[in-house]
Amino acid sequence: QVQLVESGGGLVQAGGSLRLSCAASGRTFSNYAMGWFRQAPGKEREFVATISWSGVNTAYVDSVKGRFIISRDNAKNTVYLQMNSLKPEDTAVYYCAAKSVLGLDNTGGVSYSAYRYWGQGAQVTVSS
Protein backbone atom coordinates (compact mmCIF):
# COMPACT_ATOMS: atom_id res chain seq x y z
CA GLN A 1 0.00 0.00 0.00
CA VAL A 2 0.89 3.68 -0.33
CA GLN A 3 0.41 6.20 2.46
CA LEU A 4 0.15 9.91 1.60
CA VAL A 5 0.48 12.91 3.95
CA GLU A 6 -0.14 16.49 2.82
CA SER A 7 1.43 19.60 4.34
CA GLY A 8 1.86 23.29 3.55
CA GLY A 9 -1.72 24.52 3.72
CA GLY A 10 -2.77 27.67 5.51
CA LEU A 11 -4.32 31.12 5.23
CA VAL A 12 -3.19 33.53 2.52
CA GLN A 13 -4.50 36.78 1.04
CA ALA A 14 -5.77 36.91 -2.52
CA GLY A 15 -2.86 37.19 -4.94
CA GLY A 16 -0.49 35.32 -2.65
CA SER A 17 1.18 31.93 -2.99
CA LEU A 18 1.38 28.62 -1.16
CA ARG A 19 3.18 25.37 -1.86
CA LEU A 20 1.60 22.08 -0.85
CA SER A 21 3.69 18.96 -0.34
CA CYS A 22 2.59 15.34 -0.35
CA ALA A 23 4.99 12.83 1.18
CA ALA A 24 4.51 9.20 0.20
CA SER A 25 5.58 5.96 1.82
CA GLY A 26 5.23 2.44 0.52
CA ARG A 27 6.48 0.44 -2.42
CA THR A 28 7.85 1.92 -5.64
CA PHE A 29 6.49 5.46 -5.50
CA SER A 30 7.85 6.20 -8.98
CA ASN A 31 5.44 3.67 -10.53
CA TYR A 32 2.45 5.91 -9.69
CA ALA A 33 0.92 8.86 -11.43
CA MET A 34 -0.04 11.50 -8.87
CA GLY A 35 -2.91 13.94 -8.70
CA TRP A 36 -4.22 16.86 -6.69
CA PHE A 37 -7.92 17.34 -6.01
CA ARG A 38 -9.81 19.85 -3.90
CA GLN A 39 -13.16 20.03 -2.17
CA ALA A 40 -14.88 23.16 -0.89
CA PRO A 41 -17.67 23.03 1.72
CA GLY A 42 -20.91 21.87 0.15
CA LYS A 43 -19.28 21.08 -3.20
CA GLU A 44 -18.08 17.93 -4.92
CA ARG A 45 -14.44 16.93 -5.14
CA GLU A 46 -12.76 18.64 -8.09
CA PHE A 47 -9.73 17.66 -10.15
CA VAL A 48 -6.88 20.19 -10.00
CA ALA A 49 -3.70 18.73 -11.52
CA THR A 50 -1.92 15.47 -12.31
CA ILE A 51 1.61 14.35 -13.18
CA SER A 52 3.00 11.17 -14.74
CA TRP A 53 5.49 8.93 -12.94
CA SER A 54 8.46 10.48 -14.76
CA GLY A 55 7.27 14.04 -14.18
CA VAL A 56 7.33 14.78 -17.92
CA ASN A 57 3.57 14.80 -18.53
CA THR A 58 1.19 17.08 -16.64
CA ALA A 59 -2.40 18.28 -16.92
CA TYR A 60 -4.48 20.95 -15.15
CA VAL A 61 -8.06 22.02 -14.77
CA ASP A 62 -8.71 25.17 -16.82
CA SER A 63 -9.35 27.36 -13.78
CA VAL A 64 -5.77 26.95 -12.46
CA LYS A 65 -3.78 26.92 -15.72
CA GLY A 66 -1.01 29.49 -15.61
CA ARG A 67 -1.28 29.81 -11.82
CA PHE A 68 -0.57 26.35 -10.39
CA ILE A 69 2.39 24.03 -11.07
CA ILE A 70 2.55 20.34 -10.17
CA SER A 71 5.95 18.67 -9.78
CA ARG A 72 7.50 15.62 -8.15
CA ASP A 73 10.79 14.42 -6.70
CA ASN A 74 10.84 10.64 -6.82
CA ALA A 75 14.09 10.45 -4.85
CA LYS A 76 12.25 12.13 -1.95
CA ASN A 77 8.92 10.34 -2.56
CA THR A 78 7.21 13.73 -2.69
CA VAL A 79 4.82 15.54 -5.02
CA TYR A 80 4.24 19.31 -4.87
CA LEU A 81 1.59 21.80 -5.88
CA GLN A 82 2.86 25.35 -6.22
CA MET A 83 -0.13 27.71 -6.11
CA ASN A 84 0.36 31.29 -7.28
CA SER A 85 -2.03 34.23 -7.75
CA LEU A 86 -4.49 32.60 -5.38
CA LYS A 87 -8.14 33.59 -5.50
CA PRO A 88 -10.89 33.24 -2.87
CA GLU A 89 -12.52 30.57 -5.04
CA ASP A 90 -9.40 28.41 -4.54
CA THR A 91 -10.40 27.96 -0.88
CA ALA A 92 -10.83 24.23 -0.25
CA VAL A 93 -9.34 21.15 1.33
CA TYR A 94 -6.66 19.88 -1.04
CA TYR A 95 -5.97 16.16 -1.36
CA CYS A 96 -3.14 14.33 -3.07
CA ALA A 97 -3.79 10.95 -4.65
CA ALA A 98 -1.87 8.11 -6.30
CA LYS A 99 -2.73 5.84 -9.23
CA SER A 100 -0.73 2.86 -10.49
CA VAL A 101 0.22 3.22 -14.16
CA LEU A 102 1.63 -0.29 -14.77
CA GLY A 103 4.82 0.99 -16.36
CA LEU A 104 3.15 3.56 -18.64
CA ASP A 105 4.17 7.21 -18.36
CA ASN A 106 0.62 8.58 -18.37
CA THR A 107 -1.02 11.17 -16.16
CA GLY A 108 -3.61 9.91 -13.70
CA GLY A 109 -6.69 11.39 -15.36
CA VAL A 110 -9.35 13.75 -14.05
CA SER A 111 -11.69 11.30 -12.30
CA TYR A 112 -11.15 10.93 -8.56
CA SER A 113 -12.60 7.42 -8.65
CA ALA A 114 -9.59 6.25 -10.70
CA TYR A 115 -7.09 6.99 -7.91
CA ARG A 116 -6.43 4.25 -5.38
CA TYR A 117 -4.65 6.05 -2.51
CA TRP A 118 -5.50 9.35 -0.85
CA GLY A 119 -4.00 11.69 1.73
CA GLN A 120 -5.87 13.23 4.66
CA GLY A 121 -6.12 16.68 3.09
CA ALA A 122 -4.68 20.15 3.70
CA GLN A 123 -6.84 23.23 4.26
CA VAL A 124 -6.16 26.20 2.00
CA THR A 125 -8.03 29.42 2.78
CA VAL A 126 -7.72 32.50 0.56
CA SER A 127 -9.06 35.74 1.99
CA SER A 128 -10.19 38.76 -0.02
mmCIF file of all heavy atoms in Angstrom, residues 22-41:
data_model
loop_
_atom_site.group_PDB
_atom_site.id
_atom_site.type_symbol
_atom_site.label_atom_id
_atom_site.label_comp_id
_atom_site.label_asym_id
_atom_site.label_seq_id
_atom_site.Cartn_x
_atom_site.Cartn_y
_atom_site.Cartn_z
ATOM 1 N N CYS A 22 3.218 16.622 -0.631
ATOM 2 C CA CYS A 22 2.588 15.341 -0.347
ATOM 3 C C CYS A 22 3.690 14.300 -0.256
ATOM 4 O O CYS A 22 4.304 13.949 -1.273
ATOM 5 C CB CYS A 22 1.575 14.981 -1.433
ATOM 6 S SG CYS A 22 0.805 13.366 -1.240
ATOM 7 N N ALA A 23 3.951 13.823 0.952
ATOM 8 C CA ALA A 23 4.988 12.831 1.184
ATOM 9 C C ALA A 23 4.383 11.434 1.143
ATOM 10 O O ALA A 23 3.377 11.169 1.798
ATOM 11 C CB ALA A 23 5.664 13.076 2.521
ATOM 12 N N ALA A 24 5.010 10.547 0.390
ATOM 13 C CA ALA A 24 4.505 9.197 0.204
ATOM 14 C C ALA A 24 5.430 8.169 0.835
ATOM 15 O O ALA A 24 6.654 8.326 0.843
ATOM 16 C CB ALA A 24 4.347 8.887 -1.285
ATOM 17 N N SER A 25 4.835 7.124 1.357
ATOM 18 C CA SER A 25 5.583 5.965 1.824
ATOM 19 C C SER A 25 4.934 4.711 1.256
ATOM 20 O O SER A 25 3.742 4.700 0.954
ATOM 21 C CB SER A 25 5.625 5.904 3.347
ATOM 22 O OG SER A 25 4.317 5.768 3.888
ATOM 23 N N GLY A 26 5.730 3.663 1.104
ATOM 24 C CA GLY A 26 5.228 2.444 0.520
ATOM 25 C C GLY A 26 6.170 1.930 -0.551
ATOM 26 O O GLY A 26 7.339 2.313 -0.588
ATOM 27 N N ARG A 27 5.654 1.102 -1.416
ATOM 28 C CA ARG A 27 6.479 0.443 -2.420
ATOM 29 C C ARG A 27 6.466 1.177 -3.758
ATOM 30 O O ARG A 27 5.406 1.492 -4.288
ATOM 31 C CB ARG A 27 5.991 -0.985 -2.625
ATOM 32 C CG ARG A 27 6.054 -1.839 -1.370
ATOM 33 C CD ARG A 27 5.553 -3.239 -1.634
ATOM 34 N NE ARG A 27 5.564 -4.046 -0.425
ATOM 35 C CZ ARG A 27 5.158 -5.299 -0.361
ATOM 36 N NH1 ARG A 27 4.705 -5.910 -1.450
ATOM 37 N NH2 ARG A 27 5.194 -5.954 0.793
ATOM 38 N N THR A 28 7.640 1.439 -4.273
ATOM 39 C CA THR A 28 7.853 1.920 -5.640
ATOM 40 C C THR A 28 6.974 3.121 -5.976
ATOM 41 O O THR A 28 6.100 3.070 -6.846
ATOM 42 C CB THR A 28 7.615 0.784 -6.646
ATOM 43 O OG1 THR A 28 8.191 -0.432 -6.176
ATOM 44 C CG2 THR A 28 8.282 1.127 -7.987
ATOM 45 N N PHE A 29 7.223 4.228 -5.276
ATOM 46 C CA PHE A 29 6.489 5.458 -5.495
ATOM 47 C C PHE A 29 6.552 5.914 -6.946
ATOM 48 O O PHE A 29 5.579 6.450 -7.478
ATOM 49 C CB PHE A 29 7.032 6.550 -4.561
ATOM 50 C CG PHE A 29 6.481 7.915 -4.807
ATOM 51 C CD1 PHE A 29 5.199 8.242 -4.430
ATOM 52 C CD2 PHE A 29 7.266 8.893 -5.411
ATOM 53 C CE1 PHE A 29 4.688 9.510 -4.645
ATOM 54 C CE2 PHE A 29 6.772 10.168 -5.630
ATOM 55 C CZ PHE A 29 5.479 10.472 -5.246
ATOM 56 N N SER A 30 7.683 5.713 -7.619
ATOM 57 C CA SER A 30 7.853 6.200 -8.982
ATOM 58 C C SER A 30 6.970 5.482 -9.997
ATOM 59 O O SER A 30 6.855 5.936 -11.135
ATOM 60 C CB SER A 30 9.316 6.097 -9.409
ATOM 61 O OG SER A 30 9.762 4.750 -9.387
ATOM 62 N N ASN A 31 6.341 4.386 -9.636
ATOM 63 C CA ASN A 31 5.436 3.672 -10.532
ATOM 64 C C ASN A 31 4.011 4.227 -10.517
ATOM 65 O O ASN A 31 3.126 3.657 -11.151
ATOM 66 C CB ASN A 31 5.380 2.186 -10.188
ATOM 67 C CG ASN A 31 6.649 1.444 -10.555
ATOM 68 O OD1 ASN A 31 6.939 0.395 -9.987
ATOM 69 N ND2 ASN A 31 7.413 1.977 -11.501
ATOM 70 N N TYR A 32 3.789 5.342 -9.824
ATOM 71 C CA TYR A 32 2.455 5.910 -9.686
ATOM 72 C C TYR A 32 2.374 7.283 -10.324
ATOM 73 O O TYR A 32 3.245 8.130 -10.122
ATOM 74 C CB TYR A 32 2.070 6.027 -8.210
ATOM 75 C CG TYR A 32 1.806 4.710 -7.544
ATOM 76 C CD1 TYR A 32 2.845 3.946 -7.038
ATOM 77 C CD2 TYR A 32 0.507 4.221 -7.422
ATOM 78 C CE1 TYR A 32 2.608 2.725 -6.428
ATOM 79 C CE2 TYR A 32 0.260 3.008 -6.814
ATOM 80 C CZ TYR A 32 1.313 2.258 -6.315
ATOM 81 O OH TYR A 32 1.068 1.051 -5.708
ATOM 82 N N ALA A 33 1.313 7.500 -11.096
ATOM 83 C CA ALA A 33 0.923 8.855 -11.428
ATOM 84 C C ALA A 33 0.307 9.491 -10.185
ATOM 85 O O ALA A 33 -0.306 8.795 -9.368
ATOM 86 C CB ALA A 33 -0.079 8.872 -12.580
ATOM 87 N N MET A 34 0.475 10.800 -10.038
ATOM 88 C CA MET A 34 -0.037 11.504 -8.871
ATOM 89 C C MET A 34 -1.009 12.594 -9.299
ATOM 90 O O MET A 34 -0.900 13.148 -10.395
ATOM 91 C CB MET A 34 1.103 12.127 -8.068
ATOM 92 C CG MET A 34 2.142 11.133 -7.572
ATOM 93 S SD MET A 34 1.465 9.953 -6.368
ATOM 94 C CE MET A 34 1.035 11.056 -5.022
ATOM 95 N N GLY A 35 -1.940 12.897 -8.422
ATOM 96 C CA GLY A 35 -2.906 13.942 -8.702
ATOM 97 C C GLY A 35 -3.201 14.782 -7.482
ATOM 98 O O GLY A 35 -2.958 14.363 -6.339
ATOM 99 N N TRP A 36 -3.692 15.985 -7.733
ATOM 100 C CA TRP A 36 -4.216 16.857 -6.692
ATOM 101 C C TRP A 36 -5.688 17.141 -6.977
ATOM 102 O O TRP A 36 -6.049 17.461 -8.113
ATOM 103 C CB TRP A 36 -3.460 18.187 -6.613
ATOM 104 C CG TRP A 36 -2.094 18.089 -6.010
ATOM 105 C CD1 TRP A 36 -0.911 17.986 -6.662
ATOM 106 C CD2 TRP A 36 -1.785 18.118 -4.611
ATOM 107 N NE1 TRP A 36 0.130 17.940 -5.773
ATOM 108 C CE2 TRP A 36 -0.377 18.019 -4.500
ATOM 109 C CE3 TRP A 36 -2.546 18.218 -3.447
ATOM 110 C CZ2 TRP A 36 0.275 18.011 -3.264
ATOM 111 C CZ3 TRP A 36 -1.900 18.203 -2.223
ATOM 112 C CH2 TRP A 36 -0.509 18.104 -2.141
ATOM 113 N N PHE A 37 -6.511 17.016 -5.955
ATOM 114 C CA PHE A 37 -7.925 17.338 -6.014
ATOM 115 C C PHE A 37 -8.247 18.295 -4.881
ATOM 116 O O PHE A 37 -7.491 18.420 -3.926
ATOM 117 C CB PHE A 37 -8.781 16.073 -5.891
ATOM 118 C CG PHE A 37 -8.663 15.138 -7.060
ATOM 119 C CD1 PHE A 37 -7.560 14.323 -7.217
ATOM 120 C CD2 PHE A 37 -9.675 15.075 -8.014
ATOM 121 C CE1 PHE A 37 -7.445 13.460 -8.292
ATOM 122 C CE2 PHE A 37 -9.578 14.215 -9.095
ATOM 123 C CZ PHE A 37 -8.463 13.415 -9.233
ATOM 124 N N ARG A 38 -9.390 18.967 -4.974
ATOM 125 C CA ARG A 38 -9.808 19.853 -3.901
ATOM 126 C C ARG A 38 -11.308 19.753 -3.706
ATOM 127 O O ARG A 38 -12.050 19.406 -4.619
ATOM 128 C CB ARG A 38 -9.401 21.304 -4.179
ATOM 129 C CG ARG A 38 -10.068 21.930 -5.400
ATOM 130 C CD ARG A 38 -9.452 23.289 -5.698
ATOM 131 N NE ARG A 38 -10.071 23.930 -6.844
ATOM 132 C CZ ARG A 38 -9.654 25.062 -7.391
ATOM 133 N NH1 ARG A 38 -8.591 25.692 -6.880
ATOM 134 N NH2 ARG A 38 -10.278 25.574 -8.438
ATOM 135 N N GLN A 39 -11.744 20.070 -2.491
ATOM 136 C CA GLN A 39 -13.160 20.026 -2.168
ATOM 137 C C GLN A 39 -13.501 21.189 -1.236
ATOM 138 O O GLN A 39 -12.962 21.281 -0.134
ATOM 139 C CB GLN A 39 -13.537 18.700 -1.519
ATOM 140 C CG GLN A 39 -15.031 18.517 -1.331
ATOM 141 C CD GLN A 39 -15.403 17.083 -1.022
ATOM 142 O OE1 GLN A 39 -14.577 16.297 -0.565
ATOM 143 N NE2 GLN A 39 -16.649 16.728 -1.282
ATOM 144 N N ALA A 40 -14.385 22.050 -1.692
ATOM 145 C CA ALA A 40 -14.877 23.161 -0.892
ATOM 146 C C ALA A 40 -16.133 22.729 -0.141
ATOM 147 O O ALA A 40 -16.816 21.791 -0.559
ATOM 148 C CB ALA A 40 -15.176 24.364 -1.778
ATOM 149 N N PRO A 41 -16.470 23.392 0.965
ATOM 150 C CA PRO A 41 -17.668 23.025 1.721
ATOM 151 C C PRO A 41 -18.921 23.039 0.850
ATOM 152 O O PRO A 41 -19.176 24.004 0.130
ATOM 153 C CB PRO A 41 -17.742 24.091 2.811
ATOM 154 C CG PRO A 41 -16.328 24.522 3.000
ATOM 155 C CD PRO A 41 -15.724 24.475 1.618
#
